[in-house]
Amino acid sequence: MTDRPAAPEPPARPPRWWGSVRARTTLASTLVVALALVAAGVAVLAVLQRNLVDSAGLQAEVAAREVATQVAVGTPFDQLDLPDEDDRPVQVVGADRTVLAVGDDLHHAPPLADFAHAPHRTGKSDDEHGDHGDDEGDAPARGSAAAHAAFRTLTLKLHDDHPDGQQFRVAGLLATAPNGQTVTIYAGSSLNTERQAVSGVRDAMLIGLPALLLVVAAVTWLVTRRALRPVEGIRAELAEITDGDLSRRVPQPASRDEVARLARTTNATLAALEQSVERQRQFVADASHELRSPIASLRTQLEVARAHPDLLELDGLIEDTVRLERVASDLLLLARLDAGEQPRAQRLDLAELVRDELAHRSGDRLPVAAALPDGAFPVHASRTQLARVLGNLLDNAQRHAGSAVRVAVGHDAAGAVALDVIDDGPGVPPADRERIFTRFIRLDDARTRDEGGAGLGLAIVRDLVHRHGGRIEVGDADGGGARFTVTLPGAARSTGHRP
């Protein structure tokens, strides 16, 4: 059966203009500014229109009160001094809706309105645009004018120049002549100025809005490009670093913003990755070197046995096979630990575990003395991994001890559970007490295959202890030799003592 050819990868699509952060940021900021400006413009136009209408209403009220004053002092209606401007129409209307006096531009015109004619009407009079004014609850006293005026916005056709008419703000005011006659005075003020002002402001806003949005978009584009330029530099450098040179670092801006922190974090990540890759390479090289010796020895002995069966040494084959098995097992355990495998912790008694492990050990060069006081020493740990810690420490002590190996369990001053493995060998020099926990490291007096092992036992011990939340320390034993102390968090405080 032939393999099917792999499908070709689709060509990379060119990035769309809106696919970049810069384009989206520019579009979003411009849209937000546009909405804000439109809302502000509508509010400004509304306030401006309201103020201008109120101003026109005030002018109309002033004109109406001037006429009302004349009526109140008894000026005849045909002798009233009325404004003659085209944009300030005035009418004096009687109670029977008869026009008693009128300006030049309202001759032969009917009454403008009747919204302020009823002398006994109370409440507020709403105009056509929602405006209101207070009517006088009762007719004003003889020879006086009403305290309040009513307002409405009306469209009046005064001249042929405006066939559709003009809008006026009209004030209606009650006044009483000295003879007791009550009249209504209507005075208007043109809203043409208001309309022109609002229209001019609106046109100016409509003209300036696109230009302002263009400036906002251009500034946002330039600022975003400048802000993202270091990010593009980081991306380009990372693209080249992924080709294999992990010693390179991304450019770090001099600023103290988010981009600079990103660059520092990226460089720290690259440094950690470089160290990890270097450790991995060294690990592979050391593992290959350690595996090569037993494999080569096995091959040599098997080839000799095939040529000379009478020279077959089963003990040597078994020894090399066991050593190869141990190295492979250690490498597999380290690989699982490096992959982040967490121990399956359970509650167990460390002293009981030590008794069980010592009872099952065989082939030790020296007997192991145990100092296990009464009482429980509970910890939360993986029994298999903790037994591996104890076994590796005992193997190391057996390899270097002169005549004695001891194991002790107790509590330290902080209440943690402590395991001590002590030998009377040459000890560990202070300069090497950290180095011995490095993988594939063997001191000069333990270089041979028979004495030094593969150099993985203590490295495994440290990794397992750290994953259980403990620590391991190396010191001098009483009377000479090495003392390895493993400290683990205790599950509960128990009575005990350090030997």
Side-chain angles (χ1 to χ4, degrees), residues 20 83 87 112 121 130 223 238 245 277 285 319 348 375 402-403 430 435:
S20 65
D87 57 351
L112 296 179
R121 186 174 57 190
V223 171
L238 280 176
D245 188 4
V277 171
E319 181 181 350
L348 55 88
S403 59
R435 194 167 66 92

Side-chain angles (χ1 to χ4, degrees), residues 154-184:
L154 303 176
T155 300
L156 305 177
K157 185 178 180 182
L158 304 180
H159 303 285
D160 294 337
D161 297 341
H162 300 280
D164 297 331
Q166 287 182 272
Q167 280 194 332
F168 289 85
R169 185 66 171 173
V170 179
L173 187 68
L174 295 178
T176 302
N179 59 6
Q181 182 181 5
T182 300
V183 297
T184 304

Side-chain angles (χ1 to χ4, degrees), residues 270-284:
L270 289 174
L273 181 60
E274 181 184 11
Q275 295 176 2
S276 177
V277 171
E278 184 61 29
R279 287 196 303 268
Q280 187 71 17
R281 290 174 180 173
Q282 186 64 36
F283 179 80
V284 172

Side-chain angles (χ1 to χ4, degrees), residues 213-297:
L213 293 180
L214 183 61
V215 172
V216 170
V219 172
T220 305
W221 180 270
L222 295 176
V223 171
T224 307
R225 183 179 66 176
R226 181 179 180 86
L228 294 179
R229 186 178 300 165
V231 178
E232 178 61 24
I234 293 174
R235 186 207 62 79
E237 188 68 20
L238 280 176
E240 297 183 7
I241 290 175
T242 53
D243 292 337
D245 188 4
L246 294 177
S247 62
R248 300 174 59 175
R249 297 293 180 265
V250 300
Q252 184 171 323
S255 59
R256 298 182 179 180
D257 54 9
E258 292 81 356
V259 177
R261 292 197 293 271
L262 172 63
R264 288 195 295 268
T265 304
T266 303
N267 285 334
T269 303
L270 289 174
L273 181 60
E274 181 184 11
Q275 295 176 2
S276 177
V277 171
E278 184 61 29
R279 287 196 303 268
Q280 187 71 17
R281 290 174 180 173
Q282 186 64 36
F283 179 80
V284 172
D286 292 337
S288 300
H289 176 74
E290 292 296 332
L291 292 174
R292 184 183 297 113
S293 297
I295 292 176
S297 177

Side-chain angles (χ1 to χ4, degrees), residues 44-58 194 198:
V44 169
L45 290 177
V47 173
L48 176 63
Q49 183 178 20
R50 180 67 182 179
N51 291 338
L52 291 176
V53 170
D54 291 344
S55 177
L58 179 61
E194 173 267 339
V198 173

Side-chain angles (χ1 to χ4, degrees), residues 383-406:
R383 183 178 185 88
T384 303
Q385 294 187 2
L386 208 55
R388 185 66 174 272
V389 170
L390 177 61
N392 286 3
L393 290 178
L394 289 175
D395 290 342
N396 181 75
Q398 289 284 344
R399 186 178 299 114
H400 297 90
S403 59
V405 175
R406 291 182 295 155

